[in-house]
Amino acid sequence: MCIRDRIIGELGERYEIADWIANWQLSVWQDRIQLVRLRRDIYVTPDESTHGMWSSRWLFVLAAAGSAVGLGNIWKFPYIAGENGGGVFVVAYLFCVALVGIPVMVAEVLIGRQGRQSPINSMRLLVQQSEGSKAWSLIGWAGVAAGFLILSFYSVIAGWGLYYIGELASGGFTGVDGNTATQALAALHSNPILMAVFHTVFMGITIFIVARGVVSGLERAIRWLMPLLFVLLIVLLGYGIASGGFAEGFDFMFALRWESLSFDGLLVALGHAAFTLSIGMGAIMAYGAYVPSSVSITRTVMTIAMLDTLVALIAGLAIFSIVFANGLEPGSGPGLMFVTVPLAFGQMPLGALFGGIFFILVSFAAITSAISLTEPAIAFLVEEYDASRSRVAVGLGIACWLLGLASVFSFNIWSDVYVVGEKTVFDSIDYLTANIMLPLGALFIALFAGYVLPRVTVMSQLGITSESAMAIWTVALRVVAPLGILAVFLYTIWPSG
């Protein structure tokens, strides 16, 4: 081999080595860049939460439905449907659920399952992964605070339901008139000791359940309470049909009265659709952390929404069939549940028995909602302080019970103590949570999911494989849901007229 060929060969080898080294370095940097992107965009979700997991998809459906199916389904939805166009309102409501309620609930479950922790720590983690502003973490804190505040006065109202089980079942309302039924509720309100006792009993039941954990406590209670709730609901519907007022009740709720549906009525439908699914208070996010990875979030949330609506409709038919059978005027809120309904049962055959069953149903609905309100705070405190769940549950329960006493006293010894304007402690907490904290919580969850969560995270959690489906998600969470929630918020804060 000549010197020229040897030199060319050596140079070629050197260039090959240099080219290999350059390609290797480029590959290393590309891997590093890809790793950074993966760390930013994808968090490998643990298979299980440290708190436990739902044993099946249907247990999560029942748990989330239990959270959503509360007193509002029984004392509010049937009446607002009848007063705002009947069947027209129901159609508008379902449309609003599809546009606002379901997307935001999907976002909450998604965040919970991605983080596998309490709402506070899940938001912290996802904000860090998304490289977003730390201010987004306040969503988790706001949800925990809202759940705690709501439970403090919700326990008081639920305590009335426990009290009325005994009153109805013992025949205390048999043959009473409207004035007597009204005075019975007023007598309860004026007795702080009696109200405090039933507030204590309800809070004790709630804490006993949640202290036992996700599987032994929440899941076991839901496995029994929710099926029993549905059975009692069907029993009451059958009793309502037999009462003779079913046709009038059906007409009140489902007749198409276009002239009765105003713009304000549409906003009422939108408002109830936005918050009937328990969004904005951290409960669904906490429950989402326990959802198995194999479960379809979208299909499951749609099932929950349909179940929640079905319960509200059946409850309305059962209640108003009984109300109209006795020639009474329909109403809503505590007046419907604790005056009109007991009065109706008191005038009917076997009214004591079925009246007792009705308030057992009310109590079951309240308990399943209450246990979901405690879960965000309990999960966070267990994570933060590595404390036993039972100890945390008892401590949280005592704190919530003490705050609840302020709501108890708002009806009697503190009835002239006003916190905001002419609102008592009870009214102020109710207004703050229902009209400010929940709407803003739901609004910022939608914005975070729509603008901050990485596309890869959303597509992975929801199983999205097409750009068209991703576009629907983006529009729903960035535009439609925020505008709907904002409209309800502004209407609530500054009502027309």
Side-chain angles (χ1 to χ4, degrees):
M1 179 182 294
C2 65
I3 295 176
R4 186 190 68 180
D5 292 337
R6 184 180 298 174
I7 292 173
I8 291 173
E10 290 179 356
L11 288 174
E13 290 177 0
R14 290 179 180 179
Y15 277 117
E16 287 178 3
I17 293 172
D19 185 58
W20 181 86
I21 291 173
N23 287 333
W24 176 78
Q25 289 176 331
L26 179 62
S27 176
V28 169
W29 279 107
Q30 286 175 336
D31 288 344
R32 288 180 178 178
I33 292 171
Q34 184 66 18
L35 181 59
V36 169
R37 287 175 178 169
L38 286 171
R39 285 176 175 172
R40 183 191 68 194
D41 292 344
I42 302 177
Y43 168 70
V44 179
T45 305
D47 289 334
E48 295 187 359
S49 167
T50 57
H51 302 285
M53 299 289 290
W54 303 118
S55 61
S56 69
R57 171 180 178 268
W58 272 104
L59 258 300
F60 170 61
V61 168
L62 292 176
S67 176
V69 175
L71 299 180
N73 289 65
I74 298 173
W75 76 19
K76 184 177 181 182
F77 177 78
Y79 181 74
I80 61 176
E83 286 293 291
N84 291 281
V88 178
F89 179 89
V90 172
V91 172
Y93 165 77
L94 293 174
F95 190 66
C96 293
V97 167
L99 290 179
V100 178
I102 289 177
V104 179
M105 191 177 191
V106 167
E108 274 211 58
V109 177
L110 185 159
I111 292 170
R113 190 165 76 172
Q114 180 72 9
R116 291 292 190 206
Q117 300 176 75
S118 66
I120 292 175
N121 285 328
S122 286
M123 284 302 305
R124 283 175 174 172
L125 179 64
L126 268 62
V127 167
Q128 183 180 5
Q129 293 167 7
S130 306
E131 298 181 349
S133 168
K134 291 184 179 179
W136 289 108
S137 299
L138 294 175
I139 292 174
W141 288 98
V144 169
F148 179 82
L149 291 172
I150 292 171
L151 180 61
S152 71
F153 71 83
Y154 194 84
S155 175
V156 175
I157 301 174
W160 304 350
L162 293 177
Y163 170 76
Y164 268 72
I165 293 174
E167 288 296 298
L168 266 293
S170 64
F173 281 86
T174 302
V176 301
D177 55 21
N179 186 49
T180 304
T182 302
Q183 289 177 353
L185 181 60
L188 173 63
H189 287 173
S190 65
N191 191 332
I193 295 177
L194 189 60
M195 286 184 64
V197 166
F198 283 96
H199 163 54
T200 304
V201 171
F202 183 84
M203 187 66 73
I205 294 172
T206 301
I207 297 306
F208 174 78
I209 292 172
V210 298
R212 296 171 64 83
V214 175
V215 176
S216 299
L218 303 182
E219 188 169 294
R220 184 171 295 176
I222 288 162
R223 192 187 296 271
W224 285 97
L225 291 178
M226 289 305 293
L228 283 173
L229 186 149
F230 296 135
V231 170
L232 292 177
L233 197 58
I234 296 301
V235 170
L236 284 172
L237 177 62
Y239 184 71
I241 293 172
S243 70
F246 179 77
E248 197 171 353
F250 187 91
D251 181 73
F252 178 75
M253 287 189 61
F254 295 109
L256 299 176
R257 297 186 295 276
W258 295 95
E259 70 284 356
S260 299
L261 184 63
S262 62
F263 179 72
D264 287 354
L266 285 173
L267 289 177
V268 170
L270 182 59
H272 196 71
F275 306 113
T276 186
L277 297 177
S278 293
I279 59 177
M281 63 180 73
I284 297 301
M285 197 182 297
Y287 277 6
Y290 314 143
V291 176
S293 300
S294 59
V295 172
S296 169
I297 293 177
T298 305
R299 287 199 298 269
T300 302
V301 167
M302 292 178 67
T303 302
I304 294 166
M306 288 188 291
L307 199 58
D308 175 70
T309 303
L310 183 64
V311 168
L313 294 176
I314 295 176
L317 285 173
I319 291 171
F320 288 127
S321 295
I322 296 168
V323 168
F324 284 120
N326 289 275
L328 302 174
E329 288 296 319
S332 65
L336 170 66
M337 185 176 294
F338 297 106
V339 177
T340 306
V341 171
L343 176 62
F345 279 118
Q347 298 175 5
M348 302 181 69
L350 299 176
L353 171 63
F354 285 96
I357 291 174
F358 172 79
F359 280 101
I360 292 174
L361 166 69
V362 169
S363 298
F364 282 178
I367 290 171
T368 55
S369 293
I371 59 179
S372 72
L373 292 171
T374 64
E375 189 60 24
I378 289 177
F380 170 70
L381 293 172
V382 168
E383 293 165 0
E384 195 73 5
Y385 299 104
D386 194 25
S388 70
R389 185 180 176 96
S390 58
R391 184 176 300 176
V392 168
V394 171
L396 183 74
I398 292 173
C400 198
W401 175 80
L402 288 171
L403 181 58
L405 290 179
S407 290
V408 168
F409 299 150
S410 296
F411 291 90
N412 34 75
I413 59 178
W414 289 357
S415 60
D416 56 349
V417 176
Y418 303 118
V419 178
V420 179
E422 296 185 357
K423 291 181 173 61
T424 63
V425 175
F426 175 90
D427 294 330
S428 297
I429 297 177
D430 182 23
Y431 183 86
L432 172 65
T433 53
N435 298 327
I436 297 177
M437 297 183 74
L438 295 189
L440 292 182
L443 174 63
F444 287 116
I445 286 171
L447 294 176
F448 178 79
Y451 286 96
V452 183
L453 272 183
R455 283 168 51 92
V456 180
T457 299
V458 175
M459 296 178 75
S460 172
Q461 283 289 346
L462 301 185
I464 294 176
T465 57
S466 67
E467 284 299 320
S468 58
M470 191 64 199
I472 293 173
W473 165 265
T474 302
V475 172
L477 271 298
R478 289 187 177 184
V479 181
V480 178
L483 287 179
I485 295 169
L486 189 60
V488 173
F489 175 67
L490 295 177
Y491 173 76
T492 304
I493 299 299
W494 293 292
S496 59

